[in-house]
Amino acid sequence: MLSGCCVLLLTFVATRWHPLLGLTGDVSRAKHRRAVREHGLTQVFRVPTDWVRDPRAMRLVCAAAAVRRHCD
């Protein structure tokens, strides 16, 4: 069932189905307007994207996991 939904969504994306593109455009514009209007909220959401998903942070997490696994 889930794979069928994924195939259907992938087909819509691959064929550039207009209603889907319109929906994603509407959502992205609405989110952008809110981000511009609420600067503090935007700064809060930058923490996970700028710090947590930072390549250096990911390397440190992977190195710590490898060291821990090696020591066990």
Side-chain angles (χ1 to χ4, degrees), residues 8-25:
L8 183 62
L9 181 59
L10 181 61
T11 302
F12 288 158
V13 171
T15 59
R16 300 179 58 88
W17 190 49
H18 183 70
L20 180 64
L21 293 178
L23 175 66
T24 56

